């Protein structure tokens, strides 16, 4: 499946309208965003800057082994670890049906046999919040992962790192090992330069009750449930293709890391691409392509071939950029942050030579 998103968005804003003076820096440009995602904020940001955005699913997700995911879900709900580390919203989505089943909020048939791409086991409606033991701390990478976790559990993550998964290794609560992890009575702090998934300023984060009040930790045990080794355990569900650097770094810090393949990604069938995409790509009709993951880069290369001269490769982050370079490709720009604004800025930098547009523009937030 594929589609063009060159249309008015749900808010009724025409592409280019948020820009001061009516300038649309990407007007006339064609940008390939090789993924299909409902309500895609990156696509909206590019469109608002005047781009014609082509979207195509170049990969498909294959779930991990059910037994391993069930075991991880049990540990999460029971609080049998000090930390749960999540590096993508896709991981949250892969875990969701198992967490719902473990918490008894859906039958196994409802939860475990939902159709791919649905939001939950209740006919596409918002699933009930999964209760998570407060003694288990949750660290995520990026605002999208934070939003996915909050939508599933009703609670904000304890730690939100920006950038790639490697950014988590710079966070004292994880980098310092088990001895550095504060008691659950003490909320973890996010650096002041960051925001939590509720768009609040940096500062204390923690679990919220449904009415939005910070949950008190006074009745929370000082350590995770179960055997003493649980206090040293980190649960790391992730893609089977994930860079091993995060798990290795956590182990060096003294953590016992339980890594499970929540899913993997494989290249989509070429027959699912739009019939005119291959020709447009080969003819240089695409000005820029946004690479959102290493697997996306490999799939684009496999399905469409090397980018022709004049097609700029924009990597969403350092990990994707490194993987792209390992494939012998030139990365034209790396987004300063894996956000709609960051990707937009990098795309502008690649497609324009106007120095007044190659600086951070003033636009309405799309995050």
């Amino acid at each position: 499946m594929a589609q063009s998103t060159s249309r008015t968005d749900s808010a009724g804003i025409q592409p280019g309208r948020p820009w001061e003076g009516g300038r649309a820096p990407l007007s006339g440009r064609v940008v390939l965003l090789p993924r299909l995602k409902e309500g895609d904020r990156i696509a909206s940001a590019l469109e608002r800057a005047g781009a014609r955005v082509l979207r195509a699913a170049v990969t498909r997700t294959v779930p991990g082994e059910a037994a391993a995911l069930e075991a991880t879900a049990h540990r999460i709900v029971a609080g049998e670890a000090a930390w749960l580390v999540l590096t993508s919203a896709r991981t949250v989505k892969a875990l969701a049906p198992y967490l719902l089943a473990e918490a008894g909020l859906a039958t196994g048939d409802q939860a475990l046999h939902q159709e791919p791409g649905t939001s939950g086991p209740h006919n596409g409606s918002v699933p009930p919040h999964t209760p998570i033991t407060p003694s288990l701390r949750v660290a995520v990478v990026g605002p999208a992962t934070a939003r996915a976790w909050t939508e599933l559990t009703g609670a904000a993550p304890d730690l939100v790192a920006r950038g790639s998964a490697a950014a988590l290794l710079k966070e004292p609560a994880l980098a310092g090992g088990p001895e550095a992890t504060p008691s659950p009575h003490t909320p973890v702090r996010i650096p002041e330069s960051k925001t939590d998934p509720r768009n609040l300023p940096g500062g204390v984060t923690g679990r919220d009750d449904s009415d939005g009040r910070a949950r008190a930790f006074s009745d929370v045990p000082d350590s995770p449930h179960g055997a003493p080794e649980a206090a040293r355990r980190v649960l790391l569900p992730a893609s089977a293709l994930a860079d091993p650097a995060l798990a290795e770094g956590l182990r060096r810090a003294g953590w016992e890391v339980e890594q499970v393949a929540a899913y993997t990604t494989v290249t989509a069938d070429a027959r699912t691409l739009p019939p005119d995409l291959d020709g447009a790509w080969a003819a240089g009709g695409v000005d820029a392509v946004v690479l959102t993951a290493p697997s996306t880069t490999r799939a684009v290369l496999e399905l469409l071939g090397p980018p022709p001269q004049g097609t700029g490769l924009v990597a969403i982050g350092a990990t994707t950029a490194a993987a792209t370079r390992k494939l012998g490709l030139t990365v034209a720009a790396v987004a300063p942050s894996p956000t709609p604004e960051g990707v937009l800025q990098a795309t502008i930098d690649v497609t324009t030579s106007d120095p007044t547009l190659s600086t951070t523009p003033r636009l309405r937030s799309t995050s």
Side-chain angles (χ1 to χ4, degrees):
M1 294 179 63
Q3 65 188 68
S4 169
T5 61
S6 54
R7 63 180 186 277
T8 303
D9 67 15
S10 59
I13 299 173
Q14 294 288 348
R17 287 296 297 277
W19 295 84
E20 291 186 350
R23 289 194 306 173
L26 295 180
S27 179
R29 303 293 188 178
V30 177
V31 179
L32 173 61
L33 183 58
R35 70 182 189 185
L36 288 180
K37 180 180 179 182
E38 185 177 354
D40 198 320
R41 291 178 172 87
I42 291 178
S44 296
L46 294 168
E47 287 175 336
R48 288 168 179 165
R52 179 189 173 210
V53 181
L54 302 177
R55 293 194 292 167
V58 298
T59 64
R60 62 184 179 87
T61 302
V62 178
E65 293 185 5
L69 290 169
E70 287 171 359
T72 299
H74 173 77
R75 286 205 186 280
I76 292 170
V77 173
E80 295 179 352
W83 285 92
L84 167 66
V85 174
L86 303 165
T87 59
S88 71
R90 188 174 293 183
T91 299
V92 178
K93 183 177 179 180
L95 282 172
Y98 296 93
L99 289 172
L100 290 169
E102 181 67 29
L105 296 175
T107 67
D109 183 67
Q110 285 177 313
L112 302 182
H113 298 284
Q114 67 186 72
E115 290 297 319
T118 59
S119 60
H122 300 284
N123 300 319
S125 62
V126 177
H129 288 158
T130 302
I132 302 299
T133 303
S135 61
L136 174 69
R137 293 194 177 279
V138 180
V140 305
V141 177
T145 310
R147 280 193 298 269
W149 180 254
T150 300
E151 288 171 1
L152 176 65
T153 65
D158 299 284
L159 184 62
V160 182
R162 296 279 182 173
S164 65
L168 286 171
L169 297 176
K170 299 179 182 179
E171 298 292 346
L174 287 168
E179 291 74 19
T181 297
S183 162
H185 296 280
T186 306
V188 176
R189 294 188 63 84
I190 289 179
E192 294 297 326
S193 61
K194 301 175 182 176
T195 57
D196 73 14
R198 297 157 294 176
N199 295 319
L200 299 176
V204 175
T205 66
R207 314 296 172 79
D208 286 348
D209 290 320
S210 58
D211 61 1
R213 292 179 290 109
R215 181 183 298 170
F217 289 110
S218 58
D219 296 324
V220 176
D222 286 336
S223 60
H225 294 300
E229 59 266 21
R232 307 183 65 84
R233 181 180 295 133
V234 170
L235 302 177
L236 182 59
S239 167
L241 304 176
D243 189 325
L246 176 57
E248 292 170 355
L250 291 171
R251 290 188 178 102
R252 285 195 300 270
W255 295 105
E256 296 179 8
V257 180
E258 285 193 8
Q259 192 169 8
V260 60
Y263 67 93
T264 191
T265 50
V266 297
T267 301
D269 191 324
R271 293 172 295 182
T272 65
L273 299 179
D276 57 343
L277 179 58
D278 189 42
W281 177 268
V286 175
D287 297 291
V289 55
V290 178
L291 303 173
T292 56
S295 58
T296 301
T297 305
R298 291 189 291 269
V300 168
L301 191 60
E302 183 176 339
L303 293 171
L304 299 176
Q309 185 174 3
T311 299
L313 304 185
V314 177
I316 199 169
T319 300
T320 300
T324 302
R325 295 186 183 106
K326 285 182 179 179
L327 293 172
L329 302 175
T330 299
V331 177
V334 180
S337 63
T339 61
E341 290 80 9
V343 171
L344 174 59
Q345 182 57 57
T347 305
I348 292 173
D349 290 344
V350 167
T351 59
T352 181
S353 59
D354 185 343
T356 65
L357 297 178
S358 294
T359 57
T360 303
R362 295 168 64 184
L363 74 164
R364 297 175 189 164
S365 173
T366 57
S367 58

